[in-house]
Amino acid sequence: MLDIRFVRENPELVRENIRKKFQDFKLPLVDEVIALDTQRRAAIGEGDSLRASRNTLSKQVGVLMGQAKKDPGKQAEADEVKAQVAAQAKRLAELEVEEARLDEEIRSRMLTLPQLLDPTVPIGKDDSENVEVERFGEPLTPDFEVPYHTDIMEAFDGIDLDAARRVAGNGFYYLLGDIARLHEAVLAYARDFMIDKGFTYCIPPFMIHGNVVEGVMSFPEMDAMMYKIEGEDLYLIGTSEHSMIGRYIDQILPLDSLPQTLTSYSPCFRKEKGAHGIEERGVYRIHQFEKQEMIVVCKPEDSKAWYEKLWKNSVELFRSLDIPVRQLECCSGDLADLKCKSCDIEAWSPRQQKYFEVCSCSNLGDAQARRLRIRYKDEAGKAQLCHTLNNTCVAPPRMLIAFLENNLQADGSVKIPVKLRPYMGNKEVMTPKGK
RNA sequence: GGAGAAGUCGCCUAGUUGGUCGAGGGCGCAUGAUUGGAAAUCAUGUAGGCCUUAACGGGUCUCGAGAGUUCGAAUCUCUCCUUCUCCGCCA
């Protein structure tokens, strides 16, 4: 969400930003917002002066009523002042309705205006124009065939999708045995990896109120992702980022408490309504998964540096598990409306001979902070908006695909990288059933 | 889930026959004075949003949230939320 004053003073910049995101249909919103804002300020001005007048007159009534106790003649005077206030009351009531209406009209439009892009974001229409920035590790091609990831898991008796479909429908899984253990091992390893980076481990609520949801994501995302609890003002989180950033709602943080750097664990629930849908097989895109996340709340001038640190953490983590990755920068058209800048870390798939998304790192600038009123006291003691960032540490089901494909050996066993062994009972290798 | 009690300015607290309370006091914090320096002491300041102003400032709104009564509500009414105590139930 943008600052209404910024829109008022820089309408052309806002329009330019909309064009860069190929959302020309939103261009009329700029003038609409500015016109509504003018009306709103006029209504507030008139309303405030009526309220001021009411306050003054009411005080007079108080004084006159006091005097009337001794001098009953003053009662008529008091009644007359009361009548004056009453005469203004109707207009004030109208203005209050008008103010509320205009607030809502403006807000609904402001919520759909995209955040200003960071100047370094490449311009492009959609995800096909995202830009590969750098590769880390050799994308290897083994001289044996790498099976589909669920087939690898089945070789370990590690997955039961049939039962999951019967119990919960498509898009869920049972993980079993070594595969389930590997799932937890990866999470635990990632947790400790981030703790070693100085982040604070956190387990947040897995359900949040609607106002928090509105604060952390845009409407299209919300509609496509969030599950709502029937009859309650509660949504299942789509990522722990939602409850982690929501934690700071309406807070003014002391200067010395920034940056807030946390790594959170949670299950994630997603409808995955929209373009891709749930794939028929596999665990690439599902309704429920678990994730270790990292989030940062910092001063505006620090957010760019934190963005760089965050995505590099993901690269380091994946490389420590012998998985080749690359950084893919989101182009303007593929960037969610709340984000200033974002990149994916993609892991190499030896089976598909291509990279696929495993992490997503984003700098939201002050967009979430403005919606949720997350501020800090600056050096001068003034409240300023913070910046917020988030990045995936690991999201196991998807990470498991990368892990299994890249660590699979010709005999069907899967080697366990040194770093992960303590979390897997010090096993060096996972052996499939019957071997 | 049932029965009681309570939610005020960073913290503690005053404030119920509605008016001079957006709000007093203490602590904490900041600045200044005093001091060789510190402690102590004294003085001043110490929420946020919105509107307005070049600025100083002015106006308005917020005393858990929302609605209502009233010329006027921290103070009265209603609904909701949260916390505490007791009971019940359960990981």
Side-chain angles (χ1 to χ4, degrees):
Chain A
M1 181 144 87
L2 299 170
D3 184 349
I4 182 75
R5 269 165 298 205
F6 181 86
V7 178
R8 199 190 296 156
E9 287 160 20
N10 306 280
E12 195 41 47
L13 281 180
V14 176
R15 283 190 209 100
E16 186 55 33
N17 191 60
I18 291 171
R19 283 188 210 104
K20 281 184 181 168
K21 291 179 72 84
F22 300 89
Q23 300 181 343
D24 290 21
F25 64 96
K26 290 186 182 173
L27 285 171
L29 293 178
V30 180
D31 287 328
E32 286 173 28
V33 161
I34 291 172
L36 288 164
D37 179 54
T38 307
Q39 291 177 43
R40 171 177 171 273
R41 285 185 293 150
I44 288 175
E46 190 183 344
D48 276 0
S49 58
L50 283 178
R51 277 181 281 262
S53 146
R54 182 187 63 191
N55 288 343
T56 317
L57 293 173
S58 291
K59 276 180 187 164
Q60 283 177 27
V61 172
V63 173
L64 290 168
M65 296 289 275
Q67 292 173 351
K69 280 182 188 154
K70 293 171 190 163
D71 175 4
K74 292 280 182 184
Q75 185 62 47
E77 230 177 291
D79 289 343
E80 192 183 321
V81 180
K82 280 191 198 179
Q84 281 182 47
V85 181
Q88 298 173 350
K90 187 167 170 253
R91 177 62 184 153
L92 185 56
E94 284 170 14
L95 284 167
E96 276 169 359
V97 172
E98 184 70 354
E99 282 171 33
R101 197 206 101 222
L102 289 165
D103 274 347
E104 189 41 47
E105 296 266 353
I106 291 170
R107 183 178 155 75
S108 66
R109 286 168 177 76
M110 290 300 286
L111 286 177
T112 59
L113 287 181
Q115 181 77 344
L116 286 186
L117 297 165
D118 184 276
T120 59
V121 171
I123 305 302
K125 242 183 156 63
D126 54 41
D127 58 0
S128 68
E129 296 187 66
N130 290 344
V131 177
E132 178 178 301
V133 182
E134 192 177 351
R135 295 185 176 199
F136 304 87
E138 274 303 304
L140 55 92
T141 308
D143 49 14
F144 56 90
E145 194 190 339
V146 178
Y148 191 66
H149 66 264
T150 49
D151 294 336
I152 303 177
M153 291 180 182
E154 272 167 14
F156 289 86
D157 269 342
I159 189 165
D160 187 349
L161 289 171
D162 293 337
R165 271 191 284 270
R166 283 195 297 275
V167 168
N170 202 8
F172 296 88
Y173 55 74
Y174 286 92
L175 294 184
L176 299 149
D178 277 349
I179 298 296
R181 189 181 196 185
L182 181 66
H183 177 279
E184 291 307 300
V186 165
L187 281 169
Y189 169 61
R191 174 197 68 210
D192 291 350
F193 180 92
M194 290 312 298
I195 289 171
D196 289 345
K197 294 281 180 195
F199 283 56
T200 304
Y201 183 46
C202 179
I203 299 175
F206 302 153
M207 297 184 219
I208 56 177
H209 285 146
N211 65 324
V212 178
V213 178
E214 279 182 30
V216 294
M217 67 203 305
S218 57
F219 277 121
E221 286 179 287
M222 184 168 168
D223 180 56
M225 179 190 282
M226 301 299 280
Y227 285 105
K228 187 168 190 328
I229 303 296
E230 193 176 347
E232 313 253 352
D233 178 24
L234 285 172
Y235 291 79
L236 290 171
I237 57 173
T239 158
S240 57
E241 170 210 339
H242 298 156
S243 36
M244 293 304 292
I245 299 297
R247 176 165 176 247
Y248 300 96
I249 187 168
D250 280 319
Q251 300 299 301
I252 300 181
L253 303 164
L255 186 61
D256 60 14
S257 73
L258 295 181
Q260 294 273 321
T261 57
L262 296 108
T263 180
S264 48
Y265 159 80
S266 84
C268 304
F269 304 93
R270 301 189 178 183
K271 284 184 178 171
E272 297 292 6
K273 197 168 128 186
H276 302 285
I278 302 297
E279 291 181 9
E280 268 185 40
R281 299 172 65 213
V283 297
Y284 181 74
R285 189 180 296 278
I286 44 187
H287 290 306
Q288 177 196 314
F289 60 96
E290 290 170 55
K291 182 151 69 84
Q292 190 71 29
E293 180 85 352
M294 51 186 111
I295 69 114
V296 172
V297 178
C298 67
K299 294 195 278 181
E301 61 266 34
D302 296 338
S303 69
K304 288 186 184 186
W306 274 110
Y307 174 81
E308 297 299 322
K309 281 188 207 167
L310 288 191
W311 70 259
K312 281 174 185 163
N313 285 337
S314 297
V315 171
E316 187 183 333
L317 182 102
F318 274 79
R319 293 302 300 133
S320 75
L321 297 177
D322 299 333
I323 299 170
V325 294
R326 68 169 183 174
Q327 184 196 12
L328 186 73
E329 168 140 26
C330 272
C331 71
S332 57
D334 192 36
L335 205 55
D337 281 349
L338 249 54
K339 300 178 181 178
C340 305
K341 189 172 172 71
S342 172
C343 68
D344 291 344
I345 298 304
E346 296 193 324
W348 173 249
S349 165
R351 176 185 164 86
Q352 298 177 79
Q353 292 288 301
K354 66 167 195 172
Y355 289 91
F356 66 99
E357 180 190 337
V358 285
C359 296
S360 176
C361 179
S362 305
N363 183 356
L364 289 284
D366 62 13
Q368 290 175 327
R370 179 167 292 109
R371 288 186 178 194
L372 294 172
R373 299 164 300 280
I374 302 172
R375 291 156 297 168
Y376 72 101
K377 283 252 175 177
D378 68 11
E379 287 78 356
K382 243 191 127 260
Q384 305 282 1
L385 291 174
C386 297
H387 276 197
T388 58
L389 303 100
N390 64 76
N391 182 24
T392 317
C393 200
V394 291
R398 206 172 271 194
M399 132 68 94
L400 293 186
I401 300 173
F403 182 89
L404 293 172
E405 287 193 9
N406 282 286
N407 287 291
L408 185 69
Q409 302 180 98
D411 66 357
S413 67
V414 170
K415 65 179 193 305
I416 301 172
V418 175
K419 298 274 193 178
L420 204 59
R421 285 179 196 165
Y423 301 94
M424 288 295 289
N426 291 313
K427 282 205 274 194
E428 293 176 20
V429 69
M430 280 164 50
T431 315
K433 62 179 170 181
K435 296 237 173 170

